[in-house]
Structure formats: structure tokens, C-alpha cells
Amino acid sequence: MKLTDTEWQVMNVLWERYPATARGISERLPKEINWAYTTIKTLLARLTEKGAVKESKKGNTSLYEPVLTRQQARRVALKSLANQAFDGAFGPLMHFLLEDQKLSKSQRQQLLEIVQNDTKKGKQK
Amino acid sequence: MKLTDTEWQVMNVLWERYPATARGISERLPKEINWAYTTIKTLLARLTEKGAVKESKKGNTSLYEPVLTRQQARRVALKSLANQAFDGAFGPLMHFLLEDQKLSKSQRQQLLEIVQNDTKKGKQK
DNA sequence: GGTATTCTACTACATTTGTAGAAGTTGTCA
DNA sequence: TGACAACTTCTACAAATGTAGTAGAATACC
């Protein structure tokens, strides 16, 4: 289940806290985003349609909660990126991340640290 | 410059060998893709429009070559994914790749190896 | 030179995505 | 009980995307 750009915005707030009302989501979206209330409703309707969120009525008001998990969404997005841009494999993607010269020294340093930690963990298992 | 799914398909063949004609691209697209010749022309026109490829005439026939490099395209795609799904940072993305339990043992093993090699290289610099 | 082939340019058209207005419904408070 | 506020559902609509047809121009082959 692939999400569109705007759907990610909505899901990102929803994953942070749910169940949530459309109004609540509206309030918790990043300030740069100035969507009309109905825009959010539309997106929530589409997401419900797709089965990525579940809607339940509490009186007149709808409560929404994610069905698709953040992890699942990330997996799909990464897989799709890998397919498109890295010949389907995560290896080359990983390579690219580690070697892209456009990363600043400190960004690279950070990645390496993360990786070293995760690598240790990986070995332990 | 963000590419759409279909544009990636075209660019992927074009990066492999260029300059190329629309016909040539048509022939080198993965067999599962069965686009009409004009579909490819349309995509090339859009890509030219966007400035991702350059078109030059050789007699009656157009030759195409990439302006956008694969690296640039990858960078944009990764950055956009990071923004959408990982709060803008590559670190969490990297984490996710290394830890996602949905990867098979061997996939994970492979990633770790890559990381170990790259990490060494990274340190040397 | 005439006919088949191959290109190109232009147009088309359904679907998806981004964004929102309008109008009806319900809850609430004076 | 009436008016306002907050919700909801429906509808809208332009731009982007996926996919291709048509017709005319250039080329090539006999």
C-alpha cells in the first residue's frame, strides 16, 4: 500500500497519536501546512478507502486510527525506491547512502556511527 | 528534480547507454513493459521538458541523452523518502534498513557486510 | 518514382493527486 | 427554541500521470 506525499503527512501525525479526530490532526500538522479542514477529511476518506486507516463514529464525530503501521509503510516505500532506483536491491541503496559525496562530513560520520552500533547488535544475534 | 515511476523506467535504460533513440529505448526496456512507441516518446518529451534529458536531431530522428545524472536522481529520491517517512534524516532510514525484521537473514547479512566494508573505507579517509 | 516503413508532432483521455467549497446535520448554550 | 459552532457528506476542479491514437513528414527499398 503506497502512500502519496500528502497521505504521508496525515499518517505521520496519526501514527504519533491515535485515535484522532480530523480536527486534532489538523491541529497537529506541521505549521507550514495550511490545509482546509475539508482537505484533511478528503485525505482521511481516501486513506480509509484504501484501508490504511479505520474510521469509527463517536456520536457525530469520526475517530480515525491507523491500520497500516508506520513500519509497513516504510517498508513499502523503501522497497519501491529500491526497485525504481537501485535495481531492486537494498545493498546498492545502502552503498549509495554511505558513499554519496553530497553528504556532509558530519552526516557521514553520523551514519557510520549508527551503522557501527547496529552492526554490533547484528553480530550478537 | 523528482521522477515519476514511468520516468524512472525510461531513465534507467537511458543511463545504461546513450545517446539513444526512442526506438532503442523501446527495445531495451524490460520485457514486462509493453509500451506503445508513442508512450515512450511522450515520456521523453516530458523528461526533455523538465530538463532531465536533452534531445538532439540527427536527420529526422531524435537522439536523447540524460542531463540529470543517476546519482542526482537517486539523491533526490532518497532525500524525498527521508523527508516523508523518516523525519528528514538518513540516520533513521539507515537504522530501519539494518533492523527491519522483514529482511531475510541473508539479506541482512549482506547489508552488514556492505556496511562493514564501507565503514572501513570511510575511516581511512 | 511509388509504396512501405518509420519518425515526429499533436491530441486525447482516464485516473490519481492536491486542494477545497457548499450545503446539510447535530450538538450546545443562552 | 433559536442561533451559532463544529461535523459530515458531496461535489468540484485543475494539474500530474499513465497510456496511446492519428496524421503527416522523412526515409528507404524496389
Side-chain angles (χ1 to χ4, degrees):
Chain A
M1 176 144 13
K2 211 176 169 184
L3 302 177
T4 68
D5 291 7
T6 48
E7 287 168 351
W8 270 102
Q9 301 285 353
V10 171
M11 291 306 284
N12 277 332
V13 248
L14 192 52
W15 280 319
E16 286 306 322
R17 174 136 52 91
Y18 60 82
T21 62
R23 181 66 56 191
I25 290 174
S26 172
E27 279 155 9
R28 288 184 287 127
L29 278 169
K31 319 98 216 93
E32 324 85 69
I33 295 184
N34 267 340
W35 288 335
Y37 175 79
T38 50
T39 299
I40 294 161
K41 285 291 281 183
T42 300
L43 292 175
L44 284 167
R46 287 181 187 166
L47 285 163
T48 305
E49 183 71 16
K50 281 193 183 186
V53 317
K54 182 158 58 84
E55 183 179 4
S56 55
K57 285 279 189 184
K58 186 86 193 173
N60 184 39
T61 303
S62 287
L63 287 183
Y64 300 90
E65 61 184 298
V67 171
L68 183 73
T69 67
R70 201 198 276 264
Q71 227 197 16
Q72 290 172 325
R74 284 177 166 172
R75 223 176 258 146
V76 169
L78 264 169
K79 189 60 191 160
S80 150
L81 176 66
N83 279 333
Q84 248 174 196
F86 296 90
D87 207 33
F90 291 118
L93 195 170
M94 183 70 81
H95 255 306
F96 187 83
L97 270 179
L98 290 169
E99 296 188 340
D100 184 3
Q101 299 303 318
K102 267 297 161 54
L103 292 181
S104 72
K105 259 235 138 75
S106 67
Q107 278 178 307
R108 272 146 63 65
Q109 192 46 48
Q110 253 188 307
L111 288 189
L112 290 181
E113 276 161 25
I114 285 167
V115 153
Q116 279 156 8
N117 286 337
D118 285 3
T119 304
K120 260 180 258 152
K121 266 194 284 175
K123 282 195 154 169
Q124 275 166 212
K125 290 198 183 171
Chain B
M1 175 143 13
K2 211 176 169 183
L3 302 176
T4 67
D5 292 6
T6 48
E7 286 169 351
W8 271 101
Q9 301 284 352
V10 171
M11 291 305 285
N12 278 332
V13 247
L14 191 51
W15 281 318
E16 286 305 321
R17 173 137 54 91
Y18 59 84
T21 63
R23 183 65 56 188
I25 291 174
S26 171
E27 279 156 7
R28 289 185 284 128
L29 277 169
K31 320 97 217 91
E32 323 84 70
I33 294 185
N34 267 340
W35 288 335
Y37 175 80
T38 50
T39 298
I40 294 162
K41 285 290 281 184
T42 300
L43 291 176
L44 283 166
R46 287 180 187 166
L47 284 164
T48 305
E49 182 71 18
K50 281 194 183 186
V53 318
K54 183 156 59 79
E55 181 179 6
S56 56
K57 285 277 188 183
K58 185 88 194 168
N60 183 41
T61 303
S62 287
L63 288 183
Y64 300 90
E65 61 184 298
V67 172
L68 183 73
T69 66
R70 202 200 277 264
Q71 224 194 20
Q72 291 171 325
R74 284 177 166 172
R75 223 176 257 144
V76 168
L78 263 169
K79 189 61 190 160
S80 149
L81 176 66
N83 279 332
Q84 250 173 196
F86 296 91
D87 207 34
F90 291 117
L93 197 170
M94 184 75 76
H95 253 306
F96 186 83
L97 270 179
L98 291 170
E99 296 189 339
D100 185 2
Q101 300 303 319
K102 268 296 161 58
L103 293 182
S104 71
K105 260 238 137 76
S106 69
Q107 277 178 308
R108 272 145 64 66
Q109 193 47 47
Q110 252 189 309
L111 287 188
L112 288 178
E113 274 160 27
I114 285 169
V115 155
Q116 279 155 8
N117 285 336
D118 286 5
T119 303
K120 261 182 254 153
K121 268 194 284 175
K123 281 195 156 169
Q124 275 164 212
K125 291 201 180 161

